[in-house]
Each structure stands twice: as structure tokens, then as C-alpha cells.
Amino acid sequence: MAAMALTRGLWLRHPRLVAAGHSFGGHVYTTAASVKPPQIQTDVNDTDRILNKPLESPDFFRLSELYSLQDLFNARVHLGHKKGCRHRHMEPYLFGCRLDQDIIDLDQTMEHLQLALNFTAHIAYRGGIILFVSRRRQFCHLVETTARNCGEYANTRYWQGGLLTNAHIQYGQGVRLPDLIIFLSTLNNVFQQHVGIRDAAKMNIPTVGVVDSNCNPSLITYPVPGNDDTPAAMNLYCRLFQIAVNRAKDKRKQMELLHSLTSAPTTNQ
Amino acid sequence: MLLIHTSSRPPQVQTRQICVSSVLHRKNLAAAGPEKFTTEFIQKQVEEFNIGKRHLANMMGEDPETFTQEDIDRSIAYLFPSGLFQKKARPVMKHPDEIFPKQRAIQWGPDGRPFHFLFYTGKQSYYSLMHDTYDKVLNIEMHQDRLRAKGLFSTDTKNISLGSSRWLIKEELEEILVETISDHDYMRFIKLMERMLSLPYSVIEEEFVLRFRRQLEVQSTKQVVPQLERDERGVAFSTTEGRRKTSNCSVVLRDCGSGHVSINGQDLLLYFPVLQDRQQLMFPLQFVGMLGRFDLECSVSGGGRSSQAGALRLAISRALLGFLSEGEMENMRQAGLLTPDPRVRERKKPGQEGARRKFTWKKR
């Protein structure tokens, strides 16, 4: 079952396999009529292994080494907005309030950031399309450069209404939508929630978002409570996401090389 | 006889359609957008064009190898003479790149991943251009900071020469980007470029800036100064022509004269009894202060007395150009002596009494 689901997710290479062989629990039973060479089975097992290997360990890409609580503090990630701007749903993530300014709980941020980075890395490992979104003019160039360096995509400009929901008409038939959207700032220029969050929820696209104390974290799959106004904090996030994506892609290339090397002797027979 | 009932449906079962809605089969023309040409189609058109060009050259008896676009245009005009007024409606044979509008190929690869990193913005070329321009701005600012650190920063730097060029207009920019942009977008782009140019060290990005500037057409018709000829005695004279409304005239202006004027063989006072016409004639000479220096021999036909006088005035001013310096020529141009008057009689339209006058409006 899992094998079939995975092959469907990848570009269909072996449609014949579905008809001629049945797989239960990883073993492949072939009918007498099929005269297939064995290399196809090793390929499927390879892709199986390549895709399942990272799921076996909690931090396969060792992303927790990239940052520490001290780094977050130095980058001023814990600074929120004033008490009056606080959003009701952000109260669980706040450590407290000092001189009317909200302080975000960095312990919770650490956990959420680990989950978000791990998720991003897994998506990048499986060749998914990642879209970086931020509507802050200060950091528009930074976010676009980050996306370019990762080999992923960015939208820091005016969000056209039907981008996700009307994509087939706006871009043409057969367009592929992003598999993950990362919001480096969930608000748009008029301090309302970005339209992309609602659209991604409509199109079943998971989202990662840096939520400040005046943002609504409800519709975001992996919220990361943290500051989105300071250049230091934004530089940190961009750096972390860039490293995570690049690491995941390099790891994927490594695994494919490894498996092609191990399976080459069997195919040459 | 045993009948085997198959409880499970075979894979290729025919489902009977209960009703067919023609609405679903009709093409949604509005949603399809402008007609798209595939790259294979364009390539086929290019091959056909090249073969057709060679055939045409053979037909006209010319060498197929050296057959240029002007030759093609000439041959088509010869083979298919057309009296249509609209130039665009006449038969034309041009390279397919000029006929079919430039279109975008599919923007993503076989795995579905788009090629451009700003694909999901909708206007990838425009935003990529803005991104690159901002990159240059940051580059210049970094350069300035480095110079400031070394202590070599100075505000009196060479500026990019912008006097004789203009920014690209919106249509030209759209052509370059192969996508439509709004006026607002265009304004933002120009503002960003202006901001870049306001930095003192913008010279380092000169090449990038000049890509978006076009040379201004130099005074479209440079004043053609008529050649000064010399007759047997060595006296300089120039012959010019002038037009106004329906009058045509030609004037021979001779140097070392006494201010003698003859028109169509007659004297000036005889031909132009009205003072106003004589003033028109004399104005160019009076303007440059050479009233008694030249002799005029004019011939004029067509039009009425005022338009003949205007035609003569233009011809005299043109003839004078050969005897003047650049500065005086510019003065004459500013005075309007060298501009041909474009006003002609407007035709009468049906449903109206004259060109503009309408019939009397009656309430009932």
C-alpha cells in the first residue's frame, strides 16, 4: 500500500507494475505471465528506502545543531509587539509582558522551530516546491535572494487573488502548485492576515509561518512564534531555512548516488 | 451448462451515459485566452518562409542567396499591386517572428517545477527586473561604503550622460519583458531607476542603465540648406521652392543685387497691390537685415493672393539659409519662417453644411 502510494506520488515510471505484481507488506509477488527482469523491483525498493530512511529518525538532518536558545535571544526573536497589539490566540506562546512589551517564550519557539525546519527539510528532500512569502518591504530582497540560493521559489510582491485557487486559468493547464508555503511574515502591508494563509488552507497546502504577537496562528500548520520585524531575526530565519533546504537536497543526492552504486552491480548481471 | 457469475466487475466495463450535456463539450473561448502557437508550428512557418523566399527570387530572376527583405517587399508590391489605403491590409511577406506575436513557452520542466524562481508571483520578468535593479542599487551603496572606509569618497564624480536619451516607454518595456505590465508598475520601475541614478557612484552601473534608455531622435528633419551656386560672373545664387495651401512657387535669390523683385515677369507692386502681401514677402529679408542686398526672380502658380504670398515667403527664407550662419538660421527657425504652414482647406462632410458648420437645429 505504502509502496503504491509512493510510486503514485513520484512521476509514473512503472505503470505495468500495478497490473502485473501485487505488493503486500513490502514483498512483491509476481504472476507467471509476467516476464519482467528483476531490476525494476530493486528500483522500487530503492526509492522505498530512499524515501523511508529519513522517517526513521526524529532529526535525520541534524537541524537542532544549527541554532541554540542563545542565538535566538541574540537575534532578538523574543521581542513581540506592545500589549495593545496582542492577538488573543498568541497568548499561549507568550512568556510574559515587560513594560508593556510582549516577550515570546523562546523554549516553545525552539520546539516549534525544530518541527518547522524538520518538516521543510523533509519536503525539500522529497523534491517538493517551497514558496517563501513575505509582504514586508524591508526584507523583500532578502527573502527573494534566500529563495534563489535554495533553488526554491518566492513571492514577496502583490499577491494576485487567484494565484492558488485559480492557478489553472492564470498559469495554464498542468501547472504544479507549491507543496509548502513558508510565511516569514504572516501580515500584509495593512496589518491584515495574508491572503495566502487562507488560500493554502483551502488548497490543502501545509504552511510554516513566523507568527509575531499580533498575528493569528490558527490556520498555519507549523507556526513559529517569533519576531518578524527586526533585521537580525529575519536574517536568522532566512539563514536557517536556506541551510535546511540545501542540506536536505544534498542528502537526497547522496542517497540516490549511494543506492545507484549499490544497485548497479545487480543490474549489470 | 454452468454459468459463471462474476461478482466483481471486469476492469473495462462500459458505463452507459444517461445524458450528455453539450455545455460541457463547448469550448470556453473566454477562458482559453489568446491563440497560442506551438514552437513546432512557428518553426514550420519559418521553413516555409525561407523556401517561399527562394521561389520568389527565382520568379523575379534574381539570386536566391542575396535576396533581402527590401527585395521581397518590392517583388510582392510588383506581383500583387494593391490600391488599398490601409498599409496593413496590403499583401505582405515577412519573417514569421515579425508576424506572430512573441509568446511564452511552457514555464516548467517535466517534473512540474517552474524554471524561474519568481514564477509564483504572476509577473516573473517584471519582478525579476525589479529585483536585479535593486541588486545594482545595493551594489552601488556597498561600493560607496567601501570607498568611504578607505577615505576616497567624493561627491564630484562623473555622471552618466543622459541628455540625449529618454527612458523606454511602457510599450517598449512590455516588448522586452514579453508580458503586460500596468502603468503603476512602469512608474515604480522608472522611480527605482531614477533613485539609482541619484546615487553619486551610479557610473559603475552605466551599462545596465543604458540598456533602458533610447536615443532621442535628433531634430527629425535637420534643416536642409540649399546649395549656393555661382553663375558666370561669380555671383552666388540659390534656387528654392515653397508651398502654401494650393500654391506652388520657385524663387531664385541672387547676391550682389539692389533689391529688385520680379514675379512671373511682373513687378512686385503690380502683382501684389495689397500691402499685406508685400510685407509677407519682405519679412524674411527684413528679419536678417539684408533688405537691399538680394535680387529676387520668382514664379508662382495656384491658390489665391495670400497663399501665393505665403509660399513665396517660405521659399525666400529657405533660399536665405545658404547665406546665413548657424545662429541666424536658428533664429529664423524660432521665428517660424522655416516651418511650412500645414493648414489646408478641410473637406465638407455629408450631413453638415460645411466642414464644421452644422445645419440649423430646429426644436420641432
Side-chain angles (χ1 to χ4, degrees), chain B residues 3-201:
Chain B
L3 284 169
I4 304 167
H5 295 276
T6 44
S7 53
S8 62
R9 209 188 276 170
Q12 275 88 31
V13 70
Q14 300 280 346
T15 48
R16 190 167 57 90
Q17 264 184 312
I18 299 169
C19 77
V20 173
S21 170
S22 62
V23 177
L24 296 172
H25 297 314
R26 224 183 297 145
K27 250 192 328 186
N28 189 350
L29 293 165
E35 197 189 336
K36 293 208 187 6
F37 306 108
T38 49
T39 32
E40 298 92 27
F41 176 77
I42 302 275
Q43 269 169 356
K44 203 159 69 71
Q45 296 292 314
V46 172
E47 280 157 24
E48 283 182 14
F49 171 78
N50 286 327
I51 294 170
K53 198 164 85 155
R54 296 184 78 88
H55 277 308
L56 188 63
N58 274 330
M59 269 192 263
M60 300 298 288
E62 297 199 28
D63 183 17
E65 304 298 328
T66 56
F67 208 54
T68 60
Q69 187 59 47
E70 285 111 32
D71 296 327
I72 297 178
D73 293 335
R74 203 170 25 86
S75 323
I76 295 289
Y78 171 73
L79 291 168
F80 302 101
S82 158
L84 294 172
F85 290 133
Q86 290 262 25
K87 296 280 194 314
K88 289 187 201 171
R90 296 184 183 175
V92 84
M93 182 166 162
K94 284 208 166 12
H95 193 88
D97 280 343
E98 289 165 45
I99 299 182
F100 295 103
K102 285 245 175 343
Q103 271 166 6
R104 307 189 105 193
I106 294 289
Q107 301 287 316
W108 51 85
D111 57 351
R113 289 186 75 104
F115 298 128
H116 201 280
F117 77 108
L118 290 176
F119 172 76
Y120 289 106
T121 54
K123 299 187 234 181
Q124 65 182 51
S125 329
Y126 169 72
Y127 286 131
S128 150
L129 176 65
M130 294 292 274
H131 180 80
D132 293 335
T133 316
Y134 193 67
D135 256 334
K136 308 280 183 214
V137 171
L138 289 177
N139 197 18
I140 298 174
E141 287 182 353
M142 227 168 45
H143 180 77
Q144 278 174 201
D145 289 338
R146 259 183 269 138
L147 287 179
R148 251 188 273 255
K150 287 193 217 161
L152 300 165
F153 182 82
S154 64
T155 37
D156 55 330
T157 44
K158 191 166 73 87
N159 276 331
I160 313 175
S161 58
L162 300 166
S164 61
S165 51
R166 57 166 177 89
W167 287 118
L168 279 181
I169 51 172
K170 194 177 110 156
E171 280 74 32
E172 289 171 353
L173 189 62
E174 284 184 349
E175 223 182 320
I176 290 184
L177 297 176
V178 194
E179 73 185 3
T180 43
I181 53 178
S182 73
D183 287 332
H184 186 64
D185 293 334
Y186 174 71
M187 282 278 56
R188 290 192 81 173
F189 172 65
I190 298 293
K191 283 205 178 109
L192 186 59
M193 294 298 264
E194 296 283 346
R195 184 180 147 193
M196 186 161 85
L197 290 174
S198 69
L199 296 169
Y201 279 91

Side-chain angles (χ1 to χ4, degrees), chain A residues 212-224:
Chain A
D212 205 347
S213 62
N214 55 353
C215 309
N216 182 3
S218 342
L219 278 176
I220 304 172
T221 341
Y222 289 93
V224 177

Side-chain angles (χ1 to χ4, degrees), chain A residues 144-155:
Chain A
E144 288 184 339
T145 337
T146 317
R148 189 186 241 173
N149 293 340
C150 298
E152 299 295 342
Y153 307 87
N155 182 344

Side-chain angles (χ1 to χ4, degrees), chain A residues 30-266:
Chain A
T30 53
T31 54
S34 67
V35 199
K36 281 187 320 303
Q39 67 203 50
I40 299 174
Q41 292 164 23
T42 47
D43 250 337
V44 170
N45 279 342
D46 267 346
T47 35
D48 249 2
R49 233 178 287 138
I50 292 177
L51 292 177
N52 289 340
K53 184 80 187 305
L55 301 173
E56 287 156 15
S57 45
D59 195 9
F60 183 70
F61 302 100
R62 300 199 320 272
L63 297 164
S64 44
E65 310 167 344
L66 292 175
Y67 62 96
S68 67
L69 205 119
Q70 188 61 45
D71 291 336
L72 293 184
F73 184 83
N74 292 340
R76 315 194 233 301
V77 165
H78 58 288
L79 300 173
H81 289 273
K82 291 280 189 182
K83 188 169 70 178
C85 300
R86 195 190 302 167
H87 197 282
R88 174 84 191 255
H89 295 154
M90 284 300 287
E91 278 163 20
Y93 300 119
L94 295 180
F95 183 73
C97 184
R98 180 182 167 86
L99 296 173
D100 268 8
Q101 187 177 13
D102 286 332
I103 308 294
I104 297 168
D105 190 359
L106 284 182
D107 293 316
Q108 293 191 51
T109 305
M110 289 279 285
E111 294 162 8
H112 283 93
L113 190 56
Q114 170 59 31
L115 289 170
L117 284 175
N118 196 31
F119 186 69
T120 318
H122 279 269
I123 294 267
Y125 182 85
R126 283 156 182 266
I129 296 182
I130 302 182
L131 183 64
F132 287 86
V133 175
S134 164
R135 203 56 182 98
R136 304 226 36 167
R137 248 188 85 151
Q138 268 174 296
F139 309 117
C140 140
H141 187 85
L142 172 69
V143 172
E144 288 184 339
T145 337
T146 317
R148 189 186 241 173
N149 293 340
C150 298
E152 299 295 342
Y153 307 87
N155 182 344
T156 57
R157 311 284 178 164
Y158 179 74
W159 181 275
Q160 290 178 336
L163 214 78
L164 297 178
T165 42
N166 204 20
H168 287 296
I169 299 193
Q170 284 196 339
Y171 294 122
Q173 287 289 330
V175 70
R176 194 175 144 187
L177 289 181
D179 299 305
L180 170 67
I181 304 187
I182 302 184
F183 287 92
L184 288 153
S185 158
T186 47
L187 298 181
N188 62 17
N189 285 347
V190 280
F191 300 106
Q192 289 167 345
Q193 204 192 34
H194 200 286
V195 175
I197 298 175
R198 186 203 70 188
D199 281 353
K202 278 191 187 176
M203 304 298 290
N204 282 347
I205 299 174
T207 36
V208 164
V210 173
V211 280
D212 205 347
S213 62
N214 55 353
C215 309
N216 182 3
S218 342
L219 278 176
I220 304 172
T221 341
Y222 289 93
V224 177
N227 189 7
D228 61 5
D229 304 288
T230 332
M234 288 301 270
N235 277 314
L236 177 79
Y237 299 134
C238 289
R239 209 193 83 223
L240 288 176
F241 281 113
Q242 190 178 318
I243 294 177
V245 171
N246 285 333
R247 259 198 200 180
K249 288 187 172 171
D250 293 336
K251 201 76 193 204
R252 177 61 185 256
K253 279 199 205 104
Q254 251 180 27
M255 297 286 268
E256 287 192 332
L257 262 171
L258 207 71
H259 283 272
S260 67
L261 283 174
T262 48
S263 62
T266 49

